[in-house]
Amino acid sequence: MQQTALEAKSAMAANPKRSKMLQRLRKDKYLFLLALPGLLYFLVYKYIPMLGTVIAFQEYSPFMGFAGSPWVGLKHFSTIFSEPEIIRVLWNTIVISFLQIAFAFPAPIVLALMLNEVRIEIYKRIIQTIVYMPHFLSWVVVVGIFVIFMRGEGLINNFLEVVFGIDKPVPFLTDQSLFRPLIIMQVLWKEVGWGTILFLAALAGINPDLYEASVMDGAGRWRRIWHISLPGIRSTIVILLILRLGHVLDSGFEHIFLMQNSFNKEISNVLDTYVYYKGIEQSNYSFATAVGLFKGIVGLVLVAGANKLAKRFGEEGVY
């Protein structure tokens, strides 16, 4: 037994990195146990399913399985760029994603700055609670509310008829030109409050002495926001923007699918819904997987590029 212990000590001495790792495991064993469920979640639901991306390079058949399905190489990836419809679908996806970045991304920043200026704590808590609540509603409920309000005989059309004398109902749900504004409006109403959490936390980390010193120097509220608050949360803004670029081809399947109808399908058909119709309904699993892998590669490239650009401008980035 003494010989075994001596062998273990000599092995640890020969490999100091392994020794440090074992010591850290013993020291922080309870912290690692707390992290274990999260690690298992990502392992089981995120990393192991990535093995299934192999069917993007096969003519996959559920009856033949992974091993029996014939290999077709990059056939499904070439299909993504060869079909005329896919160009319009990609354009719709990119337009909606960048509209969300342009309007829905800065909105929580503005709301967080406004809430940070509220000095009466009870009012601040009430407002926070009110704007957080829509986040916990599913898209089915959110879209259902908007449909009830905006349909032909809905509340808004009744209001327009009574107040402004508009006899003909406005086709909010079928007019193609109103589809994208409605999508952005719904995203703002549902998620803007929840998005303020990280920015409020970042604002809370700013040294209060900076605000006191600026008041002593005669700086007004707008100058304090511009020269103290915004620079204080700049790193948080950059990191979240980089991460958001990784989902630039994700428009939100459930949201778009619920708002889609035969009248607006020309501009509402995005990559997610296209995959559903072509890949799932027609059982073309390989094509659906190829599109998903393509989206992941594009997101990875955008995140890596944006991270490198952020570091070039002196920011920390995500890695």
Side-chain angles (χ1 to χ4, degrees), residues 121-192:
E121 195 66 23
I122 188 171
Y123 291 161
K124 183 176 181 179
R125 298 298 179 190
I126 291 172
I127 295 171
Q128 283 179 309
T129 303
I130 292 172
V131 297
Y132 288 171
M133 286 174 64
H135 170 78
F136 299 99
L137 300 176
S138 70
W139 277 116
V140 176
V141 175
V142 173
V143 172
I145 293 172
F146 273 76
V147 168
I148 291 172
F149 274 79
M150 294 185 170
R151 60 188 178 183
E153 65 278 9
L155 181 64
I156 294 180
N157 274 312
N158 289 336
F159 174 80
L160 293 175
E161 182 180 357
V162 172
V163 177
F164 298 101
I166 301 176
D167 297 330
K168 187 177 180 181
V170 180
F172 290 107
L173 302 175
T174 57
D175 191 344
Q176 290 190 6
S177 63
L178 296 176
F179 175 78
R180 288 168 183 160
L182 280 177
I183 292 293
I184 302 304
M185 189 188 306
Q186 290 166 1
V187 171
L188 286 171
W189 183 75
K190 186 177 186 295
E191 301 295 349
V192 68

Side-chain angles (χ1 to χ4, degrees), residues 8 17 78 87 136 302:
K17 290 185 177 180
S78 62
I87 304 300
F136 299 99
L302 287 175

Side-chain angles (χ1 to χ4, degrees), residues 12-236:
M12 291 174 67
N15 195 344
K17 290 185 177 180
R18 183 181 177 184
S19 175
K20 288 182 180 180
M21 184 180 71
L22 290 174
Q23 288 176 2
R24 186 174 180 184
L25 282 172
R26 292 194 193 98
K27 181 182 177 182
D28 300 328
K29 56 184 177 182
Y30 296 112
L31 292 177
F32 283 107
L33 283 174
L34 286 172
L36 186 60
L39 294 174
L40 288 175
Y41 167 79
F42 281 100
L43 179 65
V44 173
Y45 293 103
K46 301 295 181 181
Y47 288 99
I48 292 179
M50 289 177 66
L51 298 174
T53 56
V54 68
I55 69 176
F57 306 94
Q58 297 177 322
E59 199 66 60
Y60 177 72
S61 170
F63 304 101
M64 301 175 68
F66 294 105
S69 299
W71 287 86
V72 294
L74 301 176
K75 173 187 173 183
H76 300 295
F77 293 93
S78 62
T79 303
I80 297 175
F81 302 99
S82 61
E83 289 193 10
E85 187 181 1
I86 200 70
I87 304 300
R88 178 171 56 83
V89 169
L90 277 171
W91 174 252
N92 292 339
T93 305
I94 292 170
V95 169
I96 291 176
S97 293
F98 277 98
L99 283 174
Q100 291 183 3
I101 293 174
F103 294 97
F105 181 79
I109 303 172
V110 175
L111 182 59
L113 291 171
M114 293 170 65
L115 287 173
N116 191 55
E117 295 298 318
V118 177
R119 294 292 173 252
I120 303 176
E121 195 66 23
I122 188 171
Y123 291 161
K124 183 176 181 179
R125 298 298 179 190
I126 291 172
I127 295 171
Q128 283 179 309
T129 303
I130 292 172
V131 297
Y132 288 171
M133 286 174 64
H135 170 78
F136 299 99
L137 300 176
S138 70
W139 277 116
V140 176
V141 175
V142 173
V143 172
I145 293 172
F146 273 76
V147 168
I148 291 172
F149 274 79
M150 294 185 170
R151 60 188 178 183
E153 65 278 9
L155 181 64
I156 294 180
N157 274 312
N158 289 336
F159 174 80
L160 293 175
E161 182 180 357
V162 172
V163 177
F164 298 101
I166 301 176
D167 297 330
K168 187 177 180 181
V170 180
F172 290 107
L173 302 175
T174 57
D175 191 344
Q176 290 190 6
S177 63
L178 296 176
F179 175 78
R180 288 168 183 160
L182 280 177
I183 292 293
I184 302 304
M185 189 188 306
Q186 290 166 1
V187 171
L188 286 171
W189 183 75
K190 186 177 186 295
E191 301 295 349
V192 68
W194 186 255
T196 60
I197 292 176
L198 289 175
F199 297 113
L200 285 173
L203 286 168
I206 298 175
N207 190 349
D209 295 340
L210 296 174
Y211 292 104
E212 294 176 5
S214 65
V215 172
M216 295 289 291
D217 291 338
R221 179 168 294 180
W222 289 108
R223 285 192 173 274
R224 293 199 298 271
I225 292 173
W226 184 257
H227 294 288
I228 299 175
S229 298
L230 280 175
I233 63 174
R234 183 176 60 189
S235 60
T236 304

Side-chain angles (χ1 to χ4, degrees), residues 254-284:
E254 185 180 5
H255 183 196
I256 302 294
F257 183 74
L258 291 169
M259 287 293 295
Q260 194 175 82
N261 54 58
S262 57
F263 297 97
N264 59 27
K265 194 171 182 179
E266 185 177 348
I267 66 167
S268 67
N269 196 19
V270 295
L271 210 53
D272 292 329
T273 56
Y274 180 79
V275 168
Y276 173 76
Y277 294 127
K278 294 289 185 180
I280 307 302
E281 285 192 349
Q282 299 178 14
S283 301
N284 194 347

